Amino acid sequence: MEFLTEEVVYKKTPQQLTALLYEGLIESVEQAIASTKKGDYIHANRRLQKANDILRRLGVGLKYDAGIIAHQLDVLYNYMAERLIDANMKKDVGIMQEVLTIAKDIATAWNEALKKQPTTNVAAKKAAAYEQFIMTE
């Protein structure tokens, strides 16, 4: 994960910030798994709490007017959060692994979608279209 400064964050698009949140979620769950396996339940607890915080932030950032996918992601984020709470109480690495697999699948799909986004700036296109319209009058 890249080192994030305030300046770096402000230069990211909302889509890139979401990708970073997925990265942080995956890293937190992986650390929780490792800590649980070592018997370091305090560190595992902190990592699982951080993972749940990230899931909450992902849920808050959903744009429900974008369609059914936002609602489906909301349900999935809530499921993952509940599973992490359960895993934390039971110290169950299997449940953590389940959430990790889901998180990796979502992150992979998200990153693939980011690669396929058009690189042209929508605002620049609109400005060019406006200028062309002005020139033709």
mmCIF file of all heavy atoms in Angstrom, residues 125-137:
data_model
loop_
_atom_site.group_PDB
_atom_site.id
_atom_site.type_symbol
_atom_site.label_atom_id
_atom_site.label_comp_id
_atom_site.label_asym_id
_atom_site.label_seq_id
_atom_site.Cartn_x
_atom_site.Cartn_y
_atom_site.Cartn_z
ATOM 1 N N LYS A 125 -14.246 17.339 -22.160
ATOM 2 C CA LYS A 125 -15.129 17.055 -23.304
ATOM 3 C C LYS A 125 -16.279 18.056 -23.360
ATOM 4 O O LYS A 125 -16.630 18.554 -24.425
ATOM 5 C CB LYS A 125 -15.698 15.633 -23.198
ATOM 6 C CG LYS A 125 -14.794 14.551 -23.670
ATOM 7 C CD LYS A 125 -15.563 13.236 -23.614
ATOM 8 C CE LYS A 125 -14.728 12.082 -24.080
ATOM 9 N NZ LYS A 125 -15.460 10.824 -24.005
ATOM 10 N N LYS A 126 -16.882 18.318 -22.195
ATOM 11 C CA LYS A 126 -17.996 19.267 -22.153
ATOM 12 C C LYS A 126 -17.526 20.655 -22.564
ATOM 13 O O LYS A 126 -18.224 21.366 -23.297
ATOM 14 C CB LYS A 126 -18.608 19.300 -20.756
ATOM 15 C CG LYS A 126 -19.445 18.099 -20.430
ATOM 16 C CD LYS A 126 -20.048 18.217 -19.036
ATOM 17 C CE LYS A 126 -20.878 16.995 -18.703
ATOM 18 N NZ LYS A 126 -21.454 17.084 -17.352
ATOM 19 N N ALA A 127 -16.369 21.063 -22.075
ATOM 20 C CA ALA A 127 -15.832 22.383 -22.422
ATOM 21 C C ALA A 127 -15.565 22.478 -23.916
ATOM 22 O O ALA A 127 -15.882 23.489 -24.555
ATOM 23 C CB ALA A 127 -14.556 22.656 -21.628
ATOM 24 N N ALA A 128 -15.001 21.426 -24.485
ATOM 25 C CA ALA A 128 -14.719 21.411 -25.920
ATOM 26 C C ALA A 128 -16.015 21.475 -26.722
ATOM 27 O O ALA A 128 -16.107 22.195 -27.727
ATOM 28 C CB ALA A 128 -13.916 20.175 -26.291
ATOM 29 N N ALA A 129 -17.029 20.744 -26.295
ATOM 30 C CA ALA A 129 -18.322 20.756 -26.979
ATOM 31 C C ALA A 129 -18.954 22.142 -26.883
ATOM 32 O O ALA A 129 -19.516 22.650 -27.858
ATOM 33 C CB ALA A 129 -19.243 19.706 -26.387
ATOM 34 N N TYR A 130 -18.831 22.772 -25.722
ATOM 35 C CA TYR A 130 -19.384 24.113 -25.535
ATOM 36 C C TYR A 130 -18.670 25.108 -26.444
ATOM 37 O O TYR A 130 -19.302 25.921 -27.109
ATOM 38 C CB TYR A 130 -19.249 24.521 -24.068
ATOM 39 C CG TYR A 130 -19.743 25.920 -23.787
ATOM 40 C CD1 TYR A 130 -21.103 26.179 -23.737
ATOM 41 C CD2 TYR A 130 -18.864 26.973 -23.575
ATOM 42 C CE1 TYR A 130 -21.580 27.451 -23.491
ATOM 43 C CE2 TYR A 130 -19.322 28.246 -23.325
ATOM 44 C CZ TYR A 130 -20.680 28.493 -23.281
ATOM 45 O OH TYR A 130 -21.143 29.751 -23.044
ATOM 46 N N GLU A 131 -17.341 25.022 -26.466
ATOM 47 C CA GLU A 131 -16.566 25.917 -27.316
ATOM 48 C C GLU A 131 -16.926 25.728 -28.789
ATOM 49 O O GLU A 131 -17.054 26.676 -29.538
ATOM 50 C CB GLU A 131 -15.066 25.697 -27.109
ATOM 51 C CG GLU A 131 -14.569 26.269 -25.804
ATOM 52 C CD GLU A 131 -13.094 25.996 -25.573
ATOM 53 O OE1 GLU A 131 -12.345 25.848 -26.556
ATOM 54 O OE2 GLU A 131 -12.701 25.945 -24.407
ATOM 55 N N GLN A 132 -17.103 24.491 -29.192
ATOM 56 C CA GLN A 132 -17.476 24.205 -30.584
ATOM 57 C C GLN A 132 -18.851 24.796 -30.886
ATOM 58 O O GLN A 132 -19.060 25.368 -31.945
ATOM 59 C CB GLN A 132 -17.474 22.702 -30.834
ATOM 60 C CG GLN A 132 -17.707 22.353 -32.296
ATOM 61 C CD GLN A 132 -17.637 20.853 -32.531
ATOM 62 O OE1 GLN A 132 -17.637 20.079 -31.595
ATOM 63 N NE2 GLN A 132 -17.592 20.485 -33.795
ATOM 64 N N PHE A 133 -19.769 24.692 -29.945
ATOM 65 C CA PHE A 133 -21.106 25.250 -30.117
ATOM 66 C C PHE A 133 -21.042 26.764 -30.257
ATOM 67 O O PHE A 133 -21.699 27.355 -31.121
ATOM 68 C CB PHE A 133 -22.002 24.871 -28.920
ATOM 69 C CG PHE A 133 -23.364 25.469 -28.966
ATOM 70 C CD1 PHE A 133 -24.330 25.006 -29.848
ATOM 71 C CD2 PHE A 133 -23.685 26.553 -28.140
ATOM 72 C CE1 PHE A 133 -25.585 25.571 -29.888
ATOM 73 C CE2 PHE A 133 -24.940 27.121 -28.181
ATOM 74 C CZ PHE A 133 -25.895 26.641 -29.057
ATOM 75 N N ILE A 134 -20.237 27.426 -29.445
ATOM 76 C CA ILE A 134 -20.088 28.880 -29.474
ATOM 77 C C ILE A 134 -19.508 29.314 -30.821
ATOM 78 O O ILE A 134 -19.931 30.291 -31.401
ATOM 79 C CB ILE A 134 -19.172 29.359 -28.322
ATOM 80 C CG1 ILE A 134 -19.805 29.051 -26.971
ATOM 81 C CG2 ILE A 134 -18.821 30.815 -28.431
ATOM 82 C CD1 ILE A 134 -21.016 29.877 -26.655
ATOM 83 N N MET A 135 -18.514 28.559 -31.304
ATOM 84 C CA MET A 135 -17.834 28.917 -32.558
ATOM 85 C C MET A 135 -18.758 28.784 -33.769
ATOM 86 O O MET A 135 -18.566 29.456 -34.754
ATOM 87 C CB MET A 135 -16.607 28.036 -32.763
ATOM 88 C CG MET A 135 -15.561 28.180 -31.687
ATOM 89 S SD MET A 135 -14.879 29.816 -31.752
ATOM 90 C CE MET A 135 -13.349 29.576 -30.948
ATOM 91 N N THR A 136 -19.757 27.925 -33.697
ATOM 92 C CA THR A 136 -20.619 27.706 -34.854
ATOM 93 C C THR A 136 -21.743 28.727 -34.948
ATOM 94 O O THR A 136 -22.439 28.801 -35.934
ATOM 95 C CB THR A 136 -21.233 26.294 -34.829
ATOM 96 O OG1 THR A 136 -21.959 26.127 -33.626
ATOM 97 C CG2 THR A 136 -20.159 25.238 -34.974
ATOM 98 N N GLU A 137 -21.955 29.533 -33.922
ATOM 99 C CA GLU A 137 -23.036 30.527 -33.959
ATOM 100 C C GLU A 137 -22.605 31.785 -34.639
ATOM 101 O O GLU A 137 -21.560 32.240 -34.710
ATOM 102 C CB GLU A 137 -23.521 30.834 -32.536
ATOM 103 C CG GLU A 137 -24.327 29.714 -31.976
ATOM 104 C CD GLU A 137 -25.038 30.142 -30.708
ATOM 105 O OE1 GLU A 137 -24.632 31.110 -30.045
ATOM 106 O OE2 GLU A 137 -26.026 29.484 -30.375
#
